[in-house]
Amino acid sequence: IVDSSQEMSADLVKFYEEAGNFLEAGDVFEKIMTLASKSRSRTGRHFTAVEMPPVRINEKVILYGFRLPTSENIYLFHHDEEITMIDAGYGVYYEDIKKLLREKSLDPAMVKRIFLTHPDADHAGTSGYFAAEFGTEVFLHQGSKGVIENKNRAYGLTGRLANLNMYYTRLINQFTGNRFPEKIEYFQLSDSGHEGAFRTIDVFMICNLEFLVLESHGGHIPGHVFFLNKEYGLIFTSDFLINVRSLSPEDRDVLGVYR
């Protein structure tokens, strides 16, 4: 699964060196290869998704949710003959996600907007494919710019694992077919008050549903946001909240690789 290029070879060597410097020698290197192979081996006829029962939010909006093979979730709001997506899954699942939509009698061309909680490959990877094929608009926090441009999920941060995160990002993006759009719409970063301990930086509509964009306090990746609809009590927090009891043994195994 490794492209035979000098750049990839160099990144692999550097990642291995960083892993050996800071963690059990070779352990992290083995895990990233495991994660890559798990993701790539679950495409096509091996692709499966755990489906959340569809939820009719109101008379105009239906919400679908799917957990993809390597544990990331995508959410689809079907409304007004179009689809708004929250998070997008690994790039290697792009064709599988389109097939999944068609099986639900949903045309992938209906995906007009994608709101991303953060720029990790398992949440943003297919966004560039949707944008290229269907002109889908993709929205992110402005703090994601540095992550994307430098291929480093720890961009702007310091610490003993900064280099390890840089090589991890470059490798996992390559292995899982990550593709960001050529043009990205960024949230405004306005100061619109607070919800609890979180700053509200923007607002958007999904049909007649108003969503507040809440800025996280960091700790996972720069530019991480939450999406909150107060009227119906909907909040999308991505990797910050996990219902552990809902996970299968395979899900837990995969999440152990991420850790």
Side-chain angles (χ1 to χ4, degrees):
I1 63 174
V2 182
D3 287 354
S4 57
S5 69
Q6 291 183 346
E7 181 182 11
M8 284 298 297
S9 297
D11 282 346
L12 281 167
V13 171
K14 291 174 182 175
F15 183 87
Y16 184 80
E17 290 174 350
E18 290 293 333
N21 286 338
F22 297 120
L23 302 171
E24 286 187 64
D27 182 58
V28 175
F29 181 80
E30 179 182 352
K31 280 180 165 48
I32 193 173
M33 300 300 284
T34 300
L35 178 58
S37 63
K38 280 179 178 291
S39 300
R40 297 183 71 93
S41 66
R42 294 296 301 276
T43 61
R45 63 188 179 91
H46 300 292
F47 177 85
T48 57
V50 178
E51 181 179 357
M52 178 184 80
V55 178
R56 177 166 288 281
I57 305 301
N58 59 32
E59 70 282 358
K60 294 185 176 182
V61 183
I62 299 177
L63 171 63
Y64 298 85
F66 303 95
R67 188 165 74 240
L68 304 185
T70 37
S71 295
E72 65 273 19
N73 295 349
I74 63 172
Y75 298 95
L76 312 171
F77 287 88
H78 183 206
H79 58 95
D80 300 326
E81 299 304 316
E82 66 179 63
I83 294 170
T84 300
M85 181 182 290
I86 292 182
D87 285 344
Y90 276 134
V92 291
Y93 296 142
Y94 179 57
E95 295 298 329
D96 299 302
I97 291 173
K98 289 196 296 181
K99 181 180 178 183
L100 181 65
L101 294 181
R102 294 187 185 104
E103 291 173 350
K104 302 298 175 185
S105 299
L106 300 172
D107 184 350
M110 295 166 61
V111 179
K112 302 299 183 183
R113 296 182 300 166
I114 299 177
F115 292 93
L116 299 176
T117 56
H118 62 294
D120 270 341
D122 56 331
H123 294 266
T126 70
S127 61
Y129 296 96
F130 275 104
E133 184 171 1
F134 303 117
T136 306
E137 292 184 292
V138 178
F139 297 81
L140 270 166
H141 186 287
Q142 292 183 26
S144 303
K145 287 182 180 179
V147 172
I148 296 170
E149 293 172 356
N150 294 274
K151 300 179 181 179
N152 180 5
R153 70 185 306 277
Y155 178 76
L157 304 179
T158 58
R160 59 195 293 268
L161 297 181
N163 283 339
L164 185 66
N165 270 281
M166 176 176 67
Y167 295 118
Y168 168 87
T169 306
R170 293 165 67 98
L171 291 169
I172 208 65
N173 284 0
Q174 179 71 24
F175 289 156
T176 62
N178 183 68
R179 182 177 181 182
F180 289 108
E182 293 184 5
K183 178 185 178 182
I184 296 174
E185 304 290 337
Y186 291 102
F187 297 120
Q188 295 181 26
L189 289 187
S190 61
D191 196 350
S192 304
H194 286 73
E195 291 295 331
F198 298 97
R199 184 165 73 109
T200 302
I201 61 171
D202 208 343
V203 62
F204 62 87
M205 300 296 296
I206 299 180
C207 189
N208 56 2
L209 303 179
E210 179 184 78
F211 279 87
L212 305 179
V213 181
L214 308 183
E215 191 173 50
S216 80
H217 292 283
H220 183 60
I221 183 174
H224 200 301
V225 292
F226 309 140
F227 305 129
L228 171 67
N229 172 267
K230 297 175 69 174
E231 182 181 4
Y232 291 96
L234 302 173
I235 186 166
F236 296 87
T237 65
S238 187
D239 293 337
F240 272 83
L241 289 175
I242 298 175
N243 181 2
V244 177
R245 289 181 298 177
S246 75
L247 302 177
S248 69
E250 181 185 20
D251 293 331
R252 295 179 188 223
D253 185 48
V254 170
L255 287 172
V257 175
Y258 286 111
R259 180 174 181 179

